[in-house]
Amino acid sequence: MSSYIITFCIVICVSFFAFTPRGQEGDEVVINIGGIFPMNGGTWDGGQGCLPAALMALDDVNNRSDILPGYYLKMFWNDSMCNPGIGTNIFYKLLYDKPQMLMLLSGCSSVSTPVAEAARLWNLIVVSYGSSSPALSNRQRFPTFFRTHPSATLNNPARIKLCQEFNWKKIAVLQETQEVFTSTIEDLEKRAKKANIEIVSRQSFLTDPDNAVDDLFREDARIIVGVFYVGMARKVFCEVYKRKLYGPKVVWFLIGWYPDNWYAQNDPNINCTAEQLKTALENHFTTEGMMLSPDPTPSISGMNAEMFKERMSVALGNKNPSDVSGYPESPLSYDAVWSIAMALNKTSNKLAERGLSLESYTYGNKDVADEIYTALNSSRFKGLSGTVAFDSTGDRLATMQIERMINGTYVKTAYYDIDQDNLTWIHGKATWPGGKVPNDGVQEITEHLFISKTLYIPVSLLCSLVIAFAFSFLVFNILYSHTQYLECSQAGVNNIMVLGCILCLICVFLFGLDKQYLENSVQVPRVCQSTTWLLSIGFSLAYGALFGKIWMVHQLITKEKNVKDDKTKRRKVSVEVVPTWKIYALICVKVLIDVIVLIAWQVIDPLKLEPTSFEPEENIKTDEKITQVLEMCESDSLKIWLGTLYTMNGLLLLFGIFLAYETRNMAVRDINDSKYIAMAIYNVVVLCIITASVTSFIRTQPNAMFGFVSFSIIICCAITLGVIFVPKILYLKKNPSGEYNKAYLQHLPTKEDTEKQIKLTSENEGIKRQIAEKEAHIRHLLECIEKKTREKTLADSEERSQARFRSSSSRLAPGKISPGRISFEDSAFISTYTNSGTVVTNVGVKINAPHGSDEEFSETYL
């Protein structure tokens, strides 16, 4: 109802200005312009705010004596309802009904499109105050069209700039199916592609946005650009509220020409309250061309922004501007009328030089139309909306303003100058709830796995220490190589072993070098190749020296194995010098084989750096999806090449441990450390087997891989060097002269002797156990016999004693007992004594021990 009242007031005002112009009172010539305003219905009824501003501008121009002197501007207008059919009908009425129109004002893109396309046929210039469709920028299709309202595509650079400002790389789009919005989003896609911003979803709808909003919710859209008319915007955000597609994780970009309280207007088409819409809209951004310049300096009309607001308030009957549709665009309508006036003023001066005037304009007069076009195209003045100027396509060159809704109120946040690509924040950069900028989705973070410095540095220091000890052993071996003891341990072969260990230890440093230390990815494969070469050659030198010595010991022992002495049954061995060259030859063959395999590997299938991605882990709290990437040196047939090296070295390790076991108790003069060599070989074999098996499972764990392999190499080399050289150092410490017993073989038991000794010892222990068992049994039997004998003797003695006592007692006369001892046949006695007044009588019998023993015992009967 209020809209009809406003329309009625506007009609009254228009009638007043249209039928009582100042030009009719004098000799002024009336210049007629046509106006098409969307007043009621449709997708945008912005004429309610734009028409009063246009009338205000007409009044201001007509009251200026320096603009269009002798002319009076008059406007005929009608309501298009933002309907292209109605708008086209109004256009044709303006053309065919008198008076003739010199220029046209139009609003609403859907109406301006057919009007501007047809106007060129009548050489008629159209100036729009409220059309933003990018399609209207086509100069071939709309050659006589200008607009003070910025093209909708000018919003896109501001949107892209904001995305870059907050590091958003993924956006989604929700659009109403209208040509203006389709063209806008097509332009946005082009700009986003240039800025490396991905449009992850593009949803469109015609009348019902619920399915499109559902799709955005399912796709977890976070940064959403919405382009739709204000009536549809209320439907959209009602669905947004229901789906909870808002909050601290979601950011919306909307069109900026909606009224300030558009969400609070009563809309029977939705079932959401204004408070619910306000909740869903909180913190959204709007972008639009700057409608009202904040500059307090007066514009060409003599007004600034504050003065204009005051006059508009009066023109609207002191209505709340937020309740009037089109109020934000009213400065553009005001400036559009001034653009027409300034262009006509300039054209009038140009025509006067040619003896022509504006009155000579007809729809078929292209010369006058061209002069108007040229004047308008070159216009530049300070309007209420800022500097008014047009580019070659007739689009307004404008500064974009960015607003943000805070607690239901739009707050100007920033300005964006498209020409300078400059974003200026008004009150500081935008802040966010919780102090964290929303993510454009679940952040997919790629985390490169590197070897920890806290592990690499200590391991490197430990490795350096072992290398220092290796060099000290090498120096020791060289300095004392002239002594007999070191001569008999093959000092040259030991030097080769030390060099091999040093090469293996150097590999520890190379294992830990990755892209965090190297400048580019090309250096990493080179490091991998260098590591493979050094480790292979180092192992061949170190283990080859150990294997060569133990192999030579076995050869010398085997050669004399069957030579025995008939008396001692011991081996008889002749004195023979160890052929050292064979050990060197064996080492060279082992190294040569490795070199051939490595060269073939590098030529046929070189190592290269390849990333390996693991299953991403999502953190719901931080909206992060972390994908760990490990870059490893790989080749197409890596398993085959590694299998070849493992097979060769594995067989050599097994053969070496067999030789070490066979010669574990043997020693020869010229290889006097064979026992220690065997120990070193055991150490190498065990660690190599463990390392090779474990690393196949932890290859994708860089820290575990580096730590395990590094410690294996360090421990293996340290033990090997210690076992070989520490006994030599201790020996020379006790024997500084380095003299050594020249006995060819040490008197150590043979394998057969040891086995025989073990067998005899076992048999002896068995016999001893049997003897102990027999002796225990005999002792038990003797104890039983002794016990039985003692029991029988006691029984016999007791029986004899009782018999004697009975015999003796029969000879005693009753009452004849006197104090003292009375003997019966030297074996019985009776005694009496007084105890506390009581007379006690003892009768005793002495019994001799059986078997003629001298022992006696007595028994007393009371």
Side-chain angles (χ1 to χ4, degrees):
M1 187 70 181
S2 60
S3 62
Y4 290 103
I5 295 174
I6 295 173
T7 303
F8 177 76
C9 295
I10 292 173
V11 169
I12 297 299
C13 294
V14 170
S15 299
F16 176 78
F17 282 106
F19 294 104
T20 60
R22 182 175 59 87
Q24 291 181 354
E25 296 179 356
D27 298 332
E28 294 175 334
V29 178
V30 177
I31 299 176
N32 299 301
I33 60 175
I36 305 175
F37 292 88
M39 303 300 296
N40 298 288
T43 56
W44 183 59
D45 49 0
Q48 296 180 19
C50 292
L51 179 57
L55 296 176
M56 186 189 303
L58 285 173
D59 188 43
D60 291 343
V61 169
N62 289 331
N63 287 327
R64 289 280 294 267
S65 59
D66 57 334
I67 299 176
L68 289 174
Y71 293 97
Y72 181 88
L73 286 179
K74 180 180 179 181
M75 182 175 68
F76 294 87
W77 70 274
N78 210 331
D79 180 11
S80 69
M81 297 185 177
C82 203
N83 185 298
I86 297 176
T88 304
N89 185 48
I90 294 173
F91 168 68
Y92 284 116
K93 282 186 177 182
L94 291 172
L95 286 177
Y96 294 109
D97 293 345
K98 292 184 179 180
Q100 179 176 270
M101 301 295 121
L102 193 62
M103 296 182 74
L104 287 180
L105 274 175
S106 70
C108 206
S109 296
S110 58
V111 173
S112 295
T113 299
V115 168
E117 192 169 16
R120 64 174 180 166
L121 301 176
W122 283 268
N123 297 311
L124 194 61
I125 305 296
V126 178
V127 179
S128 176
Y129 53 85
S131 301
S132 61
S133 173
L136 293 168
S137 300
N138 187 341
R139 256 303 176 243
Q140 294 180 348
R141 184 180 174 188
F142 310 102
T144 62
F145 180 79
F146 293 85
R147 52 182 163 182
T148 56
H149 193 294
S151 170
T153 57
L154 292 182
N155 291 290
N156 293 331
R159 292 165 180 156
I160 294 296
K161 188 64 177 180
L162 282 175
C163 289
Q164 292 174 335
E165 188 77 6
F166 296 110
N167 198 29
W168 293 325
K169 297 295 183 181
K170 294 184 293 185
I171 60 176
V173 172
L174 179 64
Q175 70 165 96
E176 184 180 358
T177 306
Q178 297 285 346
E179 182 185 11
V180 55
F181 302 131
T182 300
S183 301
T184 300
I185 298 305
E186 288 175 353
D187 178 77
L188 178 63
E189 288 179 336
K190 295 177 182 178
R191 295 178 185 274
K193 186 176 181 180
K194 291 181 180 179
N196 294 322
I197 296 175
E198 178 186 4
I199 297 181
V200 295
S201 177
R202 180 176 176 179
Q203 303 295 330
S204 60
F205 62 92
L206 183 59
T207 58
D208 193 352
D210 57 347
N211 291 331
V213 174
D214 274 340
D215 291 339
L216 290 177
F217 179 79
R218 284 194 298 269
E219 294 172 5
D220 194 24
R222 303 294 182 89
I223 312 301
I224 308 171
V225 176
V227 284
F228 25 73
Y229 286 114
V230 64
M232 197 61 69
R234 286 188 284 269
K235 286 185 178 181
V236 169
F237 277 89
C238 185
E239 297 298 325
V240 166
Y241 179 80
K242 294 176 182 178
R243 271 70 171 180
K244 296 189 182 299
L245 192 58
Y246 63 90
K249 292 184 178 180
V250 181
V251 179
W252 282 87
F253 287 93
L254 300 183
I255 298 171
W257 38 259
Y258 299 162
D260 286 347
N261 66 338
W262 62 270
Y263 64 89
Q265 296 178 6
N266 185 28
D267 192 339
N269 297 318
I270 63 173
N271 57 356
C272 294
T273 65
E275 192 64 27
Q276 290 173 336
L277 294 181
K278 174 183 173 183
T279 300
L281 287 164
E282 185 67 14
N283 284 319
H284 80 270
F285 286 102
T286 65
T287 57
E288 63 176 334
M290 189 168 60
M291 304 293 184
L292 190 59
S293 175
D295 189 355
T297 305
S299 64
I300 191 173
S301 65
M303 286 193 301
N304 58 20
E306 294 301 323
M307 296 169 64
F308 175 76
K309 290 178 182 178
E310 292 177 1
R311 291 185 64 185
M312 278 297 294
S313 178
V314 174
L316 296 174
N318 294 319
K319 296 285 185 180
N320 186 355
S322 299
D323 296 333
V324 180
S325 181
Y327 177 80
E329 291 80 14
S330 59
L332 302 180
S333 177
Y334 185 90
D335 286 344
V337 173
W338 272 92
S339 297
I340 293 174
M342 297 299 292
L344 291 177
N345 184 66
K346 190 174 183 179
T347 302
S348 176
N349 296 331
K350 288 287 185 180
L351 292 175
E353 296 175 359
R354 297 165 53 188
L356 300 175
S357 65
L358 293 174
E359 303 95 291
S360 61
Y361 170 78
T362 61
Y363 293 141
N365 192 335
K366 192 173 185 303
D367 291 339
V368 177
D370 288 343
E371 287 292 343
I372 297 174
Y373 177 90
T374 302
L376 188 59
N377 192 48
S378 60
S379 295
R380 190 177 188 89
F381 63 91
K382 185 176 182 180
L384 288 174
S385 59
T387 301
V388 178
F390 306 96
D391 62 12
S392 60
T393 62
D395 288 339
R396 168 76 179 276
L397 297 176
T399 298
M400 305 303 294
Q401 70 178 17
I402 299 169
E403 294 183 331
R404 190 181 185 194
M405 180 168 282
I406 306 296
N407 295 325
T409 303
Y410 282 108
V411 178
K412 285 185 174 60
T413 304
Y415 294 105
Y416 177 61
D417 188 339
I418 298 175
D419 292 335
Q420 302 296 326
D421 189 26
N422 181 35
L423 182 66
T424 304
W425 295 98
I426 298 175
H427 303 294
K429 193 172 182 179
T431 58
W432 302 94
K436 182 182 178 182
V437 177
N439 295 325
D440 56 6
V442 176
Q443 294 296 99
E444 296 183 359
I445 299 176
T446 300
E447 183 180 272
H448 290 273
L449 295 178
F450 297 118
I451 295 172
S452 173
K453 292 182 179 180
T454 57
L455 175 64
Y456 180 69
I457 294 175
V459 171
S460 300
L461 293 176
L462 179 60
C463 184
S464 301
L465 183 62
V466 177
I467 290 176
F469 277 111
F471 274 110
S472 64
F473 290 147
L474 181 63
V475 173
F476 163 79
N477 203 54
I478 294 173
L479 293 178
Y480 293 95
S481 60
H482 62 280
T483 61
Q484 292 181 355
Y485 186 74
L486 291 185
E487 284 180 355
C488 292
S489 67
Q490 300 297 324
V493 178
N494 291 339
N495 289 338
I496 295 176
M497 182 200 66
V498 175
L499 291 175
C501 289
I502 292 174
L503 291 179
C504 292
L505 290 169
I506 292 175
C507 292
V508 172
F509 300 104
L510 299 180
F511 274 134
L513 293 180
D514 47 33
K515 291 182 69 174
Q516 63 179 328
Y517 301 108
L518 302 177
E519 294 181 357
N520 53 61
S521 300
V522 178
Q523 295 176 341
V524 179
R526 293 176 182 175
V527 170
C528 293
Q529 293 170 357
S530 302
T531 304
T532 304
W533 276 81
L534 288 176
L535 188 58
S536 298
I537 301 301
F539 177 82
S540 296
L541 292 176
Y543 183 75
L546 297 175
F547 180 81
K549 293 173 73 172
I550 204 70
W551 174 71
M552 187 54 60
V553 171
H554 185 270
Q555 289 293 313
L556 294 175
I557 299 303
T558 304
K559 185 176 181 181
E560 304 295 339
K561 184 176 181 181
N562 296 321
V563 180
K564 297 182 179 179
D565 184 83
D566 294 337
K567 294 182 180 181
T568 61
K569 302 299 182 182
R570 292 179 179 272
R571 292 179 297 144
K572 183 180 179 182
V573 193
S574 61
V575 176
E576 181 178 342
V577 177
V578 174
T580 306
W581 66 270
K582 291 184 178 181
I583 301 177
Y584 292 129
L586 182 63
I587 296 173
C588 290
V589 170
K590 176 66 176 71
V591 173
L592 182 61
I593 293 173
D594 282 348
V595 169
I596 293 173
V597 173
L598 292 172
I599 291 176
W601 184 359
Q602 188 166 345
V603 172
I604 298 173
D605 188 19
L607 290 168
K608 52 185 176 296
L609 193 64
E610 291 186 358
T612 300
S613 299
F614 300 95
E615 188 68 22
E617 298 179 359
E618 185 172 347
N619 189 328
I620 299 177
K621 293 182 178 180
T622 60
D623 275 341
E624 293 178 346
K625 184 183 290 184
I626 302 175
T627 302
Q628 293 183 330
V629 176
L630 175 62
E631 294 183 334
M632 299 185 294
C633 289
E634 298 280 356
S635 61
D636 297 334
S637 303
L638 180 65
K639 293 182 179 179
I640 296 176
W641 297 108
L642 290 178
T644 302
L645 292 175
Y646 286 167
T647 301
M648 292 190 307
N649 294 320
L651 293 175
L652 197 63
L653 289 171
L654 294 177
F655 191 37
I657 201 170
F658 168 75
L659 295 179
Y661 179 77
E662 286 291 317
T663 60
R664 63 191 181 281
N665 294 316
M666 302 299 174
V668 295
R669 181 196 64 189
D670 290 342
I671 307 179
N672 59 8
D673 54 359
S674 58
K675 180 174 66 174
Y676 302 118
I677 292 172
M679 294 172 61
I681 289 177
Y682 294 151
N683 163 62
V684 173
V685 172
V686 171
L687 287 175
C688 286
I689 292 175
I690 294 175
T691 304
S693 58
V694 172
T695 52
S696 61
F697 295 101
I698 62 173
R699 191 165 182 265
T700 56
Q701 303 175 32
N703 287 323
M705 180 74 173
F706 171 75
F708 191 82
V709 172
S710 299
F711 279 112
S712 297
I713 293 174
I714 292 172
I715 292 172
C716 183
C717 292
I719 292 176
T720 300
L721 293 170
V723 166
I724 298 299
F725 286 99
V726 170
K728 293 177 174 58
I729 295 173
L730 296 177
Y731 182 88
L732 289 180
K733 185 177 180 181
K734 294 180 180 179
N735 304 280
S737 62
E739 293 183 357
Y740 180 62
N741 187 2
K742 294 294 183 179
Y744 190 81
L745 285 175
Q746 294 180 354
H747 296 291
L748 298 174
T750 64
K751 179 180 178 182
E752 293 80 1
D753 293 339
T754 302
E755 293 176 353
K756 185 176 181 180
Q757 181 183 1
I758 294 173
K759 184 177 181 181
L760 292 175
T761 301
S762 178
E763 292 177 356
N764 188 35
E765 292 295 331
I767 294 172
K768 286 182 179 181
R769 284 194 299 271
Q770 293 178 6
I771 292 174
E773 291 175 359
K774 296 295 183 182
E775 289 178 349
H777 186 60
I778 291 172
R779 284 193 301 272
H780 177 68
L781 293 176
L782 290 175
E783 290 175 356
C784 290
I785 292 171
E786 184 179 354
K787 182 179 180 181
K788 291 292 183 181
T789 303
R790 187 166 53 252
E791 290 176 354
K792 183 177 181 182
T793 302
L794 290 175
D796 292 345
S797 299
E798 183 179 357
E799 184 179 355
R800 286 195 299 271
S801 298
Q802 290 177 358
R804 289 179 182 179
F805 176 73
R806 286 193 296 270
S807 176
S808 301
S809 298
S810 63
R811 286 177 280 177
L812 293 175
K816 300 284 186 177
I817 301 174
S818 58
R821 176 174 179 174
I822 301 176
S823 299
F824 299 94
E825 299 177 349
D826 299 329
S827 61
F829 64 90
I830 298 175
S831 63
T832 62
Y833 65 92
T834 301
N835 183 15
S836 300
T838 303
V839 178
V840 180
T841 302
N842 290 334
V843 179
V845 179
K846 180 181 290 187
I847 302 173
N848 295 326
H851 306 295
S853 174
D854 294 332
E855 296 179 3
E856 293 181 344
F857 61 91
S858 63
E859 187 167 344
T860 303
Y861 296 89
L862 303 179

